[in-house]
Amino acid sequence: GWKDTISTAIINFNNEKMKITWAARELFPSENVSFSYTFDEGKHKVWKSCPTYLLVQDYNSGCLFKTEGPTLAFSIRNSNGSKELFSKKLKSDFYIKPNRPENVTFFWKDDTVTVSCNRPERAVKCLKLELQYKSKFDKNWQSRISKCCSVGEQGFDPRKCYSFRVRLKRLVPYCNVVNYSSDWEAETFWKNGTLLDSCDDDIKSQSNTVIVLSCLLAVLLMILTLLILQCKWQRFQKSVMPAIPDPKYIFGDLFNDHNGNFQEWIDKIDHAVVQTKLEYEEPECIIEEESQQEDERNSDKQGSQEKILTFSRAAENDPKTAQIACLMPTSNTVASFAGFQILMNDDMYVML
């Protein structure tokens, strides 16, 4: 009964070639087996020896031969063919693996891509066309399956580069007992309807743009950091070591107008101060009219030699006299002015 449990892999390549393999070392470790097959039915079968053996470590582990009909029977025997070790009968059409799609074309319209291929000569109803695609920013393939021999998909970004690949799939279980698909057609690269050699250039250009922008951002951040540090350093210097004023800017007219001649500059300043005082200081003087005469005790002193004039009358006749009197201190003092003597008391000014 162990003969029925032997595992074999059966592939019918587009109904053109058959390949049957088995695990030789595990199943038949003590001898090198032989393989024979037939596509005939009925009692009069013609068995054929394997034309091409597949070897694993010098052991026969498979056979490759031409497909000659829909019904296959094969037998695995010992090395001289005298003893049968395993046999099986099957429908070869249920193990078909289709060929790659031929003449694959891409049609772009806006964000929609339609992929088509040539129609196979046989068993078209048993085939599906599978489209897979991804951009360089996608980790996994996106898949779309449609009946043979056209498939379409929407949502493609014209700014991205995409990789495409297609293959044919055999329907299970209606047509195959094993889920066989063809090999992938050669991968192609497209961007906005334009065929490219690869998407590496697109990735490099975007990477270069990212690198340039990152460098510019780093430079701007560095400049901003340096400006902030400089401002903080200046504040620290001012707090620790206050700035000494430059006399060149405080005494600008000394250096610009007088070439550093201090005596000439100070004379000009003094003259300007005097002029300013004379212009802006207004004398405040109250002239009181003397209405009373000296009493009898002073009448003897005024009689013969002195002529007493009240300061109020002199001030009325001569305004300069009043101005001079206002500039003098209000104490008992004798001063001279224009040949006259002025006696200054607290209450009266007398010109002699």
Side-chain angles (χ1 to χ4, degrees):
W2 66 271
K3 295 181 181 180
D4 296 333
T5 62
I6 291 179
S7 177
T8 57
I10 304 169
I11 304 176
N12 183 359
F13 293 100
N14 201 39
N15 213 21
E16 296 173 356
K17 284 187 177 181
M18 296 286 299
K19 183 176 77 170
I20 299 177
T21 57
W22 56 88
R25 295 297 302 271
E26 290 79 4
L27 296 175
F28 314 110
S30 59
E31 59 181 325
N32 203 0
V33 298
S34 61
F35 180 87
S36 59
Y37 67 96
T38 181
F39 287 95
D40 297 331
E41 296 184 17
K43 295 181 180 181
H44 304 286
K45 297 179 181 179
V46 178
W47 291 88
K48 298 180 180 179
S49 299
C50 176
T52 305
Y53 278 105
L54 304 176
L55 303 180
V56 174
Q57 297 180 357
D58 295 332
Y59 278 83
N60 295 336
S61 59
C63 181
L64 187 64
F65 53 95
K66 185 179 178 180
T67 303
E68 299 176 358
T71 303
L72 171 66
F74 65 89
S75 174
I76 298 177
R77 297 174 174 270
N78 58 4
S79 57
N80 57 15
S82 60
K83 182 180 179 181
E84 185 177 77
L85 303 176
F86 176 73
S87 63
K88 189 172 184 178
K89 185 177 180 181
L90 54 90
K91 290 288 185 180
S92 60
D93 293 343
F94 287 168
Y95 295 86
I96 292 179
K97 179 179 180 179
N99 288 340
R100 294 177 179 178
E102 297 179 354
N103 194 22
V104 179
T105 58
F106 289 80
F107 176 75
W108 288 75
K109 184 177 181 181
D110 298 331
D111 65 339
T112 303
V113 178
T114 303
V115 182
S116 58
C117 66
N118 286 352
R119 187 181 181 87
E121 297 179 357
R122 294 179 295 182
V124 177
K125 293 182 179 180
C126 291
L127 297 176
K128 294 285 186 179
L129 182 63
E130 181 181 9
L131 169 67
Q132 286 191 348
Y133 60 91
K134 70 175 181 178
S135 69
K136 289 299 181 179
F137 304 99
D138 298 328
K139 294 182 179 180
N140 301 318
W141 289 94
Q142 306 296 321
S143 185
R144 183 82 166 88
I145 300 175
S146 180
K147 63 181 181 180
C148 190
C149 294
S150 179
V151 58
E153 186 60 272
Q154 296 178 340
F156 291 96
D157 189 345
R159 297 171 297 179
K160 293 182 180 180
C161 179
Y162 291 90
S163 302
F164 291 92
R165 62 183 185 180
V166 293
R167 66 180 178 181
L168 291 172
K169 293 178 64 71
R170 186 86 171 174
L171 291 180
V172 176
Y174 305 104
C175 299
N176 262 32
V177 294
V178 181
N179 188 14
Y180 283 146
S181 301
S182 70
D183 295 333
W184 290 105
E185 178 63 12
E187 187 175 346
T188 56
F189 307 93
W190 296 81
K191 182 178 180 180
N192 196 22
T194 303
L195 180 63
L196 303 177
D197 293 334
S198 69
C199 289
D200 294 337
D201 296 337
D202 186 58
I203 293 298
K204 289 180 180 178
S205 62
Q206 295 189 13
S207 300
N208 293 335
T209 303
V210 171
I211 291 173
V212 171
L213 293 177
S214 301
C215 292
L216 290 177
L217 181 60
V219 170
L220 292 176
L221 290 175
M222 186 179 297
I223 292 174
L224 181 60
T225 303
L226 291 176
L227 290 176
I228 295 173
L229 291 177
Q230 184 179 5
C231 293
K232 290 186 176 181
W233 175 249
Q234 289 178 352
R235 291 181 181 179
F236 176 75
Q237 282 184 327
K238 288 181 179 180
S239 63
V240 176
M241 298 178 292
I244 300 175
D246 192 348
K248 181 177 180 182
Y249 301 100
I250 300 176
F251 306 102
D253 52 349
L254 172 62
F255 294 97
N256 297 330
D257 300 338
H258 302 283
N259 296 324
N261 191 332
F262 181 79
Q263 187 61 43
E264 180 181 342
W265 174 73
I266 198 64
D267 291 341
K268 181 179 178 181
I269 294 298
D270 291 342
H271 180 70
V273 170
V274 172
Q275 291 292 335
T276 303
K277 285 184 177 181
L278 291 177
E279 290 178 1
Y280 291 98
E281 289 184 0
E282 296 181 357
E284 294 182 1
C285 182
I286 302 175
I287 301 175
E288 296 182 354
E289 183 179 356
E290 182 65 30
S291 61
Q292 299 178 356
Q293 299 293 333
E294 288 286 341
D295 54 8
E296 292 179 357
R297 291 177 300 176
N298 296 327
S299 62
D300 295 338
K301 295 180 182 180
Q302 297 173 351
S304 60
Q305 297 179 354
E306 296 179 353
K307 185 178 180 181
I308 301 175
L309 297 175
T310 61
F311 184 76
S312 60
R313 293 172 182 173
E316 291 175 356
N317 295 329
D318 190 356
K320 294 183 178 179
T321 303
Q323 184 177 1
I324 295 299
C326 292
L327 295 174
M328 290 183 176
T330 58
S331 62
N332 295 331
T333 308
V334 177
S336 298
F337 176 73
F340 295 92
Q341 288 184 346
I342 302 173
L343 178 60
M344 292 172 286
N345 296 317
D346 293 337
D347 300 328
M348 183 188 312
Y349 294 88
V350 181
M351 182 177 290
L352 301 178

